[in-house]
Amino acid sequence: MKRAELISRILIVVGILLAVGAPLFFWARTPLIHARMAEDGGWNPDVIQAEVGKPLHLKFTSDDVVHGFAVGQMDMQSVDILPGKVTDITLNFDEPGIYTFFCTRWCGLNHWRMRGTIEVSGSSSDPEPATVPLYVSLKLDLDAPHDAPVVPNGKPLAISGQSLETNLPIDQSAEYYRSHSPYEVFESLQNTPLTDGQRWNAVAYFWQSNTTSESLANGRQLYAQNCAACHGENGAGNGVFADDLVQAGEASMQSMSGAMNMMMQAPVDFTDPRRMLGASPALLQGKILRGGMGTGMPMWGSIFTEQQIWDLTAYIYSFQFEYEK
Amino acid sequence: MAKIELTRIPFIKNALKSRYPQLAVFIVMLIGYIFAILAGLIGTPVGSHNFSIVFVWIAWWAILILVAVPFFGRGWCAVCPIPLPGEWLQHGAVLSPPDKRPKWLNLRVPKMFRNIWLQNISYLLLALFSSVLLTTPNITGIVLAAMLFAAIGLSTVFERRAFCRYLCPVGGFIGLYSQTAPIELRIKDKQVCVTCEGKPCYNGSSAGYGCPWDVFPGGLTKNTYCGLCMECIRTCPHDNIAVNLRPFSADLAKPSTRMDEAFKAFIMLGSAIVYAGVLLGPWGMFKDAAYNVGSSAWFIYAIVFLAIIFVVLPGLFTLGILNTKNTLPLKQRFASLSTALIPLGLMFWVAFSLSFVLTNASYILAALSDPLGLGWNLFGTANAAWLPMLTSILAPAQTLALVVGLVWSARTAQKSANEAGTSSMPVVIYCFVATSLMLWLLL
Amino acid sequence: MRPTPNTDRPTSPNLMRFHFSLLLLVMAGLAVAFVPLPVPAITPQERTFEIDAHQFAYSPSELKVNTGDTITIQLVSADVVHGLYVYGYDISVEADPGQSATLTFVADKPGSFRFRCNITCGAMHPFMIGKLNVGSNSWLYRSIGLAALAVFGVTVSKKPKA
């Protein structure tokens, strides 16, 4: 065979081997965590191993739409995971345990189901005792109806309640605020000479004084990022996924005989005074922590810190009360 | 108008005749093609960030339809890597013919397939799935691999470049549109061929292989089936073959009366119109139908697509030319007059492609730096943002392309109508209406 | 055998006439393309549109306003993160589901402008397109006019049969 032919053949074979081998080699060596819409598999892999004190380097990419990443109950900024691009994240864990990571950019109806776990091994230096949520210690039935028998005409004004506040027999402790519904506080004022309207205003003011502006701002942002898609940007239960949830519920009605209140359904309307004024912050906290048990309401227990949930509940009540700006 | 013989220039002649520059290009193309297959199969599923989608459907397509076909005819075929592995196996060498040729079956392609109907069908198969194909890397990877292996397989069974000539979905329209190009490969003097013994241009010799495109160079009058592979220039012992520069669409002065080519013109015209409407229009329902392959909406879309191409467009055309005074029977008139749709279709595709190429060309930068979506940044452009290019000239450019196409096709219609002894008005009106429709869809 | 076409060079007066006609045609073309037409004076208004974005279309997908109107588009993403980029005006906005966003601008340029999604939102993202019609789509009419003019030019300049 002539030399030119031989060299050409070698070049061709080497070229083909490179064209096949190089991509395969680099692809096999790049450990990527793929993010996909929950309907298409969610996180892959969805269980990650880590060790206390050892930095965890992760590479994420999205296979379809914009996703985000954050670890629940850790003080971290969420990071966007963009389609076709790679995001590098380094995490450090001080305490062992099972952490939940989750998607932070809405990616479809089942966005909230897009979660995974990081199993952190190692020894604990500062073990925190587990605390029982308030609704458990109060023995609240989260699924029992809690409609307020009496509702105000129009939104109570906190500012009007302020002037009435001084001599009212309302326990000012945070414990009292958290374990009583607005209606119960309204009821407790029945032996005062105030009108119903004035009493509601006083309740509104009481609620406002248990709400810092920082808490409200955090709550507003958390609500926008996590709740508005179902519950509506204005709290009316008419978010972009509300119809899909109802449809999913109706589709499953044929297969569910009993528990109809436990199937997917329209998200709660936070502007409904009957329902909301009968709910205490502890009840709301419980619902957020535990989720809806099949109604489509996610459980946030492993995601939000306790403070974040109180911030959210504070914001949710702002749909019922007119707070002073 | 005069022809300019390019191969009279020694540099050009030697560059085309020598196997080394060609092989160098072949190797680069083959490596790129195989890399595109791998990228499609194992790279990110996000099309806009995957080398296979970006470099096949944006970069390569842009070069093909905006440069290669209008200016170089079958110029892409001259450098395409698909036939190469099969052909190298078939030849038993990658450069000049070896002393001992391997014994492959070398069957002649059966007569019933020796037309472009298979290519019409393979193009339509891709076209019906185009929404998925253009956006899904692993599908593009599979299709590229399938074409490569089909070409290899066919080369081991049939003689010459059977895949290229009779099956390649792209080759069907490149061939048809190459008639408009200002470049051609032709013999210089017919008498020389008459007295030539052995016809090595077709049968091969120690200097080169017989025409892989199953064309007898001595009889070449049109670009349609010549793949510009340059073998005949190497084998001709009389230096009787030249590559010429010539006026645009010189081939269309001799209209073809073949039905497969006529329908190819309608297929390309129709698919440009459908794509402009479905892909670039604001009607989400059509896009869903086109994308959800297998759904009932998609079946309806497919049937409508095929009806437009095989019934509506040719039907209206036939109605138009039915009652004009004529010397040719209807079937031949149909085929001959449909030649006017060749420059029209080409410019429809140019106008349509300009839109998505200029919109998405910026993805090329990102895909160059991170072809597989693994987080690389080879050239520093991995984070180049999406940015539509030259948006202010897009509409005028599309108008220019379509109006030029209309003038061109009207002129072609006049020439073929002259030949057919009939009036060109129905065809010209047809072209005008189609152009107005395309303008409305694009602007 | 077909008679060979007349390839004699045109005589001087014919050449001049041909060049004159061509010049006329070109001037007519330029006129059709560029001569400004009177635009009806319509008082600019404020227009607000709520556009729902879902994979892979906008709803509504076509907007019609008058030149000079101030447009506010409220982009509501119904499933995943979408964007809206307006060609010609080179402005954009993006919205997550649950966090709609607004884009306000003055539609001072007449014509037909496509808008499309600029945040990768799935496979058919490159074809997620809508149209904004500001005033009349004069470029389309001019283009059709040019096409008609071109046909006219080609038809009357038909070379006589040999």
Side-chain angles (χ1 to χ4, degrees), chain A residues 2 4-5 8-9 11-12 14-16 19-24 26-27 30 32 34 36 59 61-64 83-86, chain B residues 20 23 27 30-31 34-35 38 42-46 49 88 92-96 366 370 372-376 382-384:
Chain A
K2 293 204 297 224
E5 176 75 27
S8 304
R9 290 192 193 190
L11 277 174
I12 290 170
V14 168
I16 294 177
V20 176
L24 280 171
F26 289 108
W27 169 73
T30 311
L32 283 177
H34 291 261
R36 286 188 184 199
K59 280 180 179 291
T61 185
S62 164
D63 287 351
D64 47 23
K85 300 177 99 90
V86 172
Chain B
Y20 299 121
L23 185 68
I27 293 177
L30 186 61
I31 290 177
I34 291 175
F35 185 74
L38 264 297
I42 67 173
T44 174
V46 178
H49 285 84
W88 291 331
V94 308
L95 293 169
S96 308
D370 191 10
L372 302 173
L374 292 175
W376 299 351
N383 295 312

Side-chain angles (χ1 to χ4, degrees), chain A residues 167-240:
Chain A
N167 294 318
L168 292 177
I170 303 180
D171 178 347
Q172 296 294 319
S173 68
E175 177 74 44
Y176 183 80
Y177 157 72
R178 285 183 179 161
S179 51
H180 289 83
S181 70
Y183 171 71
E184 284 169 342
V185 178
F186 168 82
E187 269 288 285
S188 76
L189 298 174
Q190 63 189 4
N191 296 322
T192 61
L194 299 172
T195 63
D196 278 8
Q198 288 173 320
R199 283 199 271 161
W200 281 117
N201 288 343
V203 172
Y205 179 70
F206 176 61
W207 242 255
Q208 187 188 270
S209 33
N210 277 289
T211 305
T212 64
S213 56
E214 191 192 334
S215 176
L216 206 55
N218 277 345
R220 169 174 291 119
Q221 192 183 42
L222 285 167
Y223 180 85
Q225 288 168 342
N226 297 288
C227 321
C230 293
H231 286 282
E233 293 181 44
N234 298 313
N238 58 355
V240 291

Side-chain angles (χ1 to χ4, degrees), chain B residues 315-384:
Chain B
L316 289 172
F317 191 83
T318 307
L319 282 175
I321 65 173
L322 209 49
N323 290 319
T324 55
K325 96 170 145 70
N326 57 73
T327 56
L328 286 178
L330 183 64
K331 197 166 164 192
Q332 283 178 286
R333 238 185 315 147
F334 173 81
S336 163
L337 289 174
S338 66
T339 311
L341 303 180
I342 293 174
L344 192 73
L346 175 63
M347 295 318 259
F348 272 32
W349 276 97
V350 165
F352 164 71
S353 304
L354 274 174
S355 176
F356 75 78
V357 165
L358 287 178
T359 294
N360 296 307
S362 54
Y363 285 135
I364 294 174
L365 290 170
L368 261 177
S369 280
D370 191 10
L372 302 173
L374 292 175
W376 299 351
N377 199 350
L378 300 172
F379 302 102
T381 55
N383 295 312

Side-chain angles (χ1 to χ4, degrees), chain B residues 133-368:
Chain B
L133 180 63
L134 260 59
T135 57
T136 316
N138 58 11
I139 300 287
T140 290
I142 291 172
V143 168
L144 292 179
M147 294 205 287
L148 186 65
F149 287 110
I152 295 175
L154 287 175
S155 286
T156 59
V157 174
F158 295 103
E159 60 169 11
R160 311 178 196 258
R161 287 187 182 180
F163 176 84
C164 299
R165 176 76 195 257
Y166 298 111
L167 197 54
C168 180
V170 179
F173 69 82
I174 292 185
L176 191 76
Y177 288 160
S178 67
Q179 297 176 81
T180 64
I183 278 199
E184 63 178 21
L185 182 144
R186 301 281 189 272
I187 52 168
K188 298 183 203 175
D189 180 357
K190 192 151 184 150
Q191 275 308 111
V192 172
C193 297
V194 166
T195 55
C196 169
E197 277 210 28
K199 310 277 193 284
C201 59
Y202 185 74
N203 294 310
S205 70
S206 56
Y209 309 94
C211 178
W213 291 86
D214 196 23
V215 164
F216 173 52
L220 256 186
T221 53
K222 298 214 270 185
N223 287 348
T224 322
Y225 302 106
C226 163
L228 296 175
C229 68
M230 305 301 158
E231 280 304 317
C232 55
I233 292 189
R234 294 169 188 138
T235 49
C236 178
H238 313 292
D239 188 27
N240 193 31
I241 300 183
V243 173
N244 306 319
L245 205 59
R246 68 187 197 166
F248 281 92
S249 69
D251 289 346
L252 296 181
K254 315 162 204 108
S256 155
T257 51
R258 288 171 57 151
M259 288 304 267
D260 58 350
E261 291 181 20
F263 271 96
K264 186 67 189 174
F266 284 104
I267 288 174
M268 294 308 289
L269 196 75
S271 46
I273 293 173
V274 171
Y275 287 165
V278 172
L279 298 179
L280 297 183
W283 305 296
M285 191 174 76
F286 299 152
K287 294 173 216 261
D288 283 343
Y291 183 72
N292 293 314
V293 171
S295 67
S296 47
W298 177 79
F299 275 110
I300 296 175
Y301 162 80
I303 290 170
V304 171
F305 192 154
L306 292 172
I308 290 176
I309 285 171
F310 285 114
V311 177
V312 176
L313 289 176
L316 289 172
F317 191 83
T318 307
L319 282 175
I321 65 173
L322 209 49
N323 290 319
T324 55
K325 96 170 145 70
N326 57 73
T327 56
L328 286 178
L330 183 64
K331 197 166 164 192
Q332 283 178 286
R333 238 185 315 147
F334 173 81
S336 163
L337 289 174
S338 66
T339 311
L341 303 180
I342 293 174
L344 192 73
L346 175 63
M347 295 318 259
F348 272 32
W349 276 97
V350 165
F352 164 71
S353 304
L354 274 174
S355 176
F356 75 78
V357 165
L358 287 178
T359 294
N360 296 307
S362 54
Y363 285 135
I364 294 174
L365 290 170
L368 261 177

Side-chain angles (χ1 to χ4, degrees), chain B residues 46 48-49 131 134-136 276 279-284 287-288 290-291 325 356 359-360 363 386-388 391 395-396 399 403 406-407 410-411 414 418-419 421 424-425 428 432 435-436 439-443, chain C residues 2 18 54-58 61-62 85 87-88 90 112 114 116-118 120 123-131 137 139-140 142-144 146-151 153-162:
Chain B
V46 178
S48 53
H49 285 84
S131 297
L134 260 59
T135 57
T136 316
L279 298 179
L280 297 183
W283 305 296
K287 294 173 216 261
D288 283 343
Y291 183 72
K325 96 170 145 70
F356 75 78
T359 294
N360 296 307
Y363 285 135
W386 172 79
L387 185 68
T391 50
T399 299
V403 170
L406 180 59
V407 169
R411 266 276 180 259
Q414 287 178 332
N418 252 352
E419 297 264 332
S424 64
M425 275 322 285
V428 172
F432 171 72
T435 302
S436 302
L439 282 167
W440 175 71
L441 285 173
L442 288 176
L443 291 181
Chain C
R2 271 184 283 114
F18 172 71
H54 62 92
Q55 289 175 322
F56 299 96
Y58 294 103
S61 62
E62 283 197 77
Y85 167 88
Y87 282 93
D90 194 28
S112 184
R114 279 172 165 73
R116 56 162 285 182
C117 185
N118 61 345
T120 308
M124 285 289 272
H125 157 73
F127 305 118
M128 188 168 160
I129 292 174
K131 267 177 105 170
N137 190 358
W139 184 249
L140 172 62
R142 291 178 191 273
S143 299
I144 295 179
L146 284 174
L149 193 64
V151 163
V154 169
T155 314
V156 300
S157 73
K158 185 169 163 179
K159 293 190 170 66
K161 274 200 272 197

Side-chain angles (χ1 to χ4, degrees), chain A residues 2-225:
Chain A
K2 293 204 297 224
R3 202 151 59 118
E5 176 75 27
L6 181 64
I7 295 176
S8 304
R9 290 192 193 190
I10 291 173
L11 277 174
I12 290 170
V13 171
V14 168
I16 294 177
L17 287 175
L18 271 177
V20 176
L24 280 171
F25 175 74
F26 289 108
W27 169 73
R29 290 188 58 191
T30 311
L32 283 177
I33 299 175
H34 291 261
R36 286 188 184 199
M37 290 166 70
E39 293 86 343
D40 298 320
W43 301 102
N44 186 7
D46 61 355
V47 179
I48 304 169
Q49 307 296 332
E51 273 181 48
V52 169
K54 202 166 140 200
L56 178 68
H57 300 294
L58 298 173
K59 280 180 179 291
F60 290 91
T61 185
S62 164
D63 287 351
D64 47 23
V65 301
V66 173
H67 292 284
F69 170 86
V71 180
Q73 304 199 336
M74 256 175 85
D75 184 17
M76 70 171 278
Q77 266 288 77
S78 64
V79 182
D80 284 343
I81 298 174
L82 302 174
K85 300 177 99 90
V86 172
T87 307
D88 290 282
I89 297 170
T90 304
L91 297 171
N92 287 293
F93 297 93
D94 297 326
E95 291 295 321
I98 297 189
Y99 294 77
T100 303
F101 65 90
F102 60 103
C103 180
T104 57
R105 302 286 302 266
W106 272 90
C107 53
L109 177 64
N110 293 302
H111 153 75
W112 69 267
R113 297 182 199 271
M114 203 177 146
R115 296 180 181 178
T117 52
I118 304 178
E119 295 174 356
V120 183
S121 56
S123 51
S124 170
S125 54
D126 177 23
E128 265 182 43
T131 48
V132 171
L134 193 53
Y135 80 95
V136 172
S137 51
L138 292 175
K139 297 193 175 31
L140 291 179
D141 178 357
L142 292 180
D143 304 309
H146 50 84
D147 282 6
V150 181
V151 293
N153 303 325
K155 260 190 182 179
L157 297 165
I159 193 167
S160 308
Q162 183 173 20
S163 49
L164 306 161
E165 211 278 324
T166 36
N167 294 318
L168 292 177
I170 303 180
D171 178 347
Q172 296 294 319
S173 68
E175 177 74 44
Y176 183 80
Y177 157 72
R178 285 183 179 161
S179 51
H180 289 83
S181 70
Y183 171 71
E184 284 169 342
V185 178
F186 168 82
E187 269 288 285
S188 76
L189 298 174
Q190 63 189 4
N191 296 322
T192 61
L194 299 172
T195 63
D196 278 8
Q198 288 173 320
R199 283 199 271 161
W200 281 117
N201 288 343
V203 172
Y205 179 70
F206 176 61
W207 242 255
Q208 187 188 270
S209 33
N210 277 289
T211 305
T212 64
S213 56
E214 191 192 334
S215 176
L216 206 55
N218 277 345
R220 169 174 291 119
Q221 192 183 42
L222 285 167
Y223 180 85
Q225 288 168 342

Side-chain angles (χ1 to χ4, degrees), chain C residues 88-110:
Chain C
Y89 289 88
D90 194 28
I91 46 178
S92 67
V93 68
E94 79 174 69
D96 286 35
Q99 295 175 274
S100 57
T102 52
L103 180 67
T104 304
F105 61 104
V106 178
D108 52 358
K109 286 188 260 199

